[in-house]
Amino acid sequence: MASSFNERIDRRHSDSLKWQKYGDQDILPLWVADTDFRSPQCVIDALKQRVEHGVFGYGGAPSELIDVVIARMSERYQWEIKPEWLVFLPGIVSGLNLAVRAFTSPQQGTIAPTPIYPPFRSAAKLADRRQINGQLRLENQRWVMDIAALEPQMTGNEKLLMLCNPQNPGGTVYRQEELETQLRFAQRHDLIVCSDEIHCDLLLEPGVKHIPFATLSSDAEQRSVTLISPSKTFNIAGLGASLAIIPDADLRARFTQTRQGIVPGVDILACVAATAAWRDGQPWLDEKLAYLRESRDLLTSRINAMPGLSVAAPEATYLAWIDASQLGVASPARFFEHHGLGFSAGRDFGDDGFVRFNFGCPQDLLHEALRRMENALRTIR
């Protein structure tokens, strides 16, 4: 099965946002976080069967999907969740925006790490909420948040702590003690915690395990909103199946009230795809993870041998956060784009000295991208 990840699928003239960005320009799109891999056959088969039914009226979350989610949380994390805790959403980004609007007033603020997935930043900006950013630091080749440095910035008006675990763009999988430090911080300042855990199934580092923030304690559970989705894992982001797990009834009511009339439910085909992916997709995922580990190791070895660049091997995700601050160019993203490489610009995440490299692609394309990077660097040496 692993050979299927080597297949080059032409997306350039499809409806792909990723590949449409550069049109017919000779620029490899390595930016937005979807992969170029065909989704697992179990998902494709389930969608075909549902389409053959031929009727696509209004739908709700099917009971089978609810059962699959409950079983998955129990088996993987020993987290016994209840059906009423689940709030189905068309995307994680809507969940981030709802959390900011539901759990803070205009006079209250949010807290998020930096660098961070851009919607963490824009969710606060769009809601006109102040945001304190906790700087991530590189410690033992892992990007971790400096909680102690946050304390002097606190005003007492902050209400929401926004976490990303595994971390995007850094690829860190937070350990138990690191999560407990963040929990104690939330307790000291009476914070609600919104934890984006969309990359939780994409673990690349052997021996590392994902720990949902909500499983730390009963207190963590009751103050948290956990956002999950099969979209990144199984490459079904375009279908839009995500959910929030909100154990506390009051928080859940505030969240659902805020979405009324604004955020729609989940598409019926998205529910079908999510059910099939989480229920039957593990063999495919095991093969994909093995493939991504090879790609990660190749990428980090090659990039760390390039003058002016460095990267910490991500423990999870298919995203590499590359330090290009020593290149001496005004904008690393624009520099590489000029040389045929379409990375995500670091400024969108909070640091213009970096670029984010999506290596969720066939390895021959990855080799070509690395070759172009090496050629680009020769032009400034």
Side-chain angles (χ1 to χ4, degrees):
M1 187 186 298
S3 62
S4 67
F5 297 104
N6 284 321
E7 180 185 4
R8 289 286 292 270
I9 300 171
D10 185 4
R11 305 179 67 196
R12 192 175 293 275
H13 300 291
S14 72
D15 55 3
S16 167
L17 176 68
K18 179 180 182 180
W19 283 84
Q20 282 182 346
K21 179 175 180 178
Y22 298 109
D24 290 325
Q25 299 178 74
D26 184 22
I27 299 176
L28 300 179
L30 303 161
W31 61 291
V32 69
D34 75 6
T35 67
D36 292 319
F37 306 134
R38 192 183 303 276
S39 295
Q41 193 62 43
C42 63
V43 170
I44 297 170
D45 290 343
L47 288 170
K48 286 180 178 178
Q49 183 178 358
R50 182 62 183 86
V51 168
E52 284 297 319
H53 182 263
V55 180
F56 309 105
Y58 294 118
S63 59
E64 185 179 8
L65 177 54
I66 294 171
D67 292 342
V68 165
V69 172
I70 290 172
R72 191 174 186 84
M73 294 298 108
S74 177
E75 292 164 5
R76 290 182 169 240
Y77 311 117
Q78 295 72 57
W79 187 16
E80 306 303 327
I81 67 175
K82 299 178 180 179
E84 61 267 27
W85 296 359
L86 304 181
V87 180
F88 287 86
L89 298 167
I92 294 291
V93 172
S94 60
L96 295 171
N97 281 270
L98 285 172
V100 169
R101 294 165 189 254
F103 305 132
T104 66
S105 69
Q107 293 75 39
Q108 294 174 323
T110 67
I111 305 154
T114 188
I116 192 62
Y117 177 50
F120 278 67
R121 300 156 63 87
S122 62
K125 184 177 181 179
L126 290 170
D128 197 24
R129 306 298 200 260
R130 177 174 178 266
Q131 185 172 88
I132 293 175
N133 293 123
Q135 184 66 49
L136 296 180
R137 67 178 190 275
L138 190 61
E139 185 176 287
N140 297 321
Q141 292 300 295
R142 297 175 64 249
W143 290 101
V144 296
M145 191 157 70
D146 189 351
I147 292 291
L150 272 174
E151 293 287 358
Q153 302 180 60
M154 300 293 286
T155 68
N157 290 325
E158 294 74 31
K159 193 58 184 175
L160 179 67
L161 174 61
M162 303 176 75
L163 303 181
C164 188
N165 180 35
Q167 211 275 336
N168 175 9
T172 299
V173 179
Y174 289 121
R175 308 299 195 262
Q176 179 89 19
E177 61 272 18
E178 292 166 339
L179 290 171
E180 288 176 348
T181 297
Q182 295 180 77
L183 172 59
R184 289 192 293 271
F185 175 78
Q187 291 169 330
R188 283 196 302 274
H189 297 282
D190 191 26
L191 303 173
I192 298 163
V193 178
C194 179
S195 183
D196 171 4
E197 303 184 8
I198 192 172
H199 293 285
C200 65
D201 294 322
L202 293 168
L203 305 183
L204 304 182
E205 189 65 25
V208 168
K209 66 176 183 177
H210 174 71
I211 303 171
F213 177 86
T215 64
L216 294 176
S217 68
S218 58
D219 178 82
E221 185 178 78
Q222 293 303 307
R223 69 170 66 243
S224 67
V225 172
T226 303
L227 302 176
I228 63 170
S229 173
S231 61
K232 305 297 185 186
T233 304
F234 299 100
N235 203 28
I236 53 175
L239 289 170
S242 303
L243 60 95
I245 306 174
I246 313 177
D248 181 81
D250 178 63
L251 295 184
R252 192 166 62 251
R254 291 162 64 183
F255 189 88
T256 55
Q257 177 61 36
T258 302
R259 79 176 291 176
Q260 293 300 313
I262 300 174
V263 178
V266 178
D267 178 275
I268 55 175
L269 294 181
C271 288
V272 169
T275 303
W278 274 332
R279 185 190 60 211
D280 304 319
Q282 191 61 45
W284 178 91
L285 177 56
D286 290 340
E287 296 282 353
K288 176 181 175 179
L289 291 176
Y291 192 85
L292 288 175
R293 288 185 188 103
E294 289 182 1
S295 296
R296 178 199 65 169
D297 294 345
L298 168 66
L299 178 146
T300 54
S301 174
R302 291 274 294 275
I303 287 179
N304 283 325
M306 296 180 193
L309 298 180
S310 63
V311 61
E315 297 177 323
T317 80
Y318 44 80
L319 307 166
W321 185 235
I322 300 171
D323 187 346
S325 60
Q326 301 306 306
L327 287 185
V329 298
S331 168
R334 286 198 298 271
F335 167 76
F336 283 117
E337 190 173 271
H338 180 71
H339 291 277
L341 294 155
F343 297 134
S344 295
R347 67 174 178 274
D348 296 335
F349 300 79
D351 194 327
D352 200 25
F354 286 71
V355 294
R356 193 187 71 173
F357 186 142
N358 175 355
F359 58 90
C361 60
Q363 288 177 2
D364 66 334
L365 191 149
L366 175 59
H367 278 284
E368 172 63 15
L370 293 169
R371 184 189 67 79
R372 292 187 184 196
M373 291 183 75
E374 290 167 341
N375 288 341
L377 296 179
R378 293 189 185 101
T379 68
I380 56 175
R381 291 288 181 257

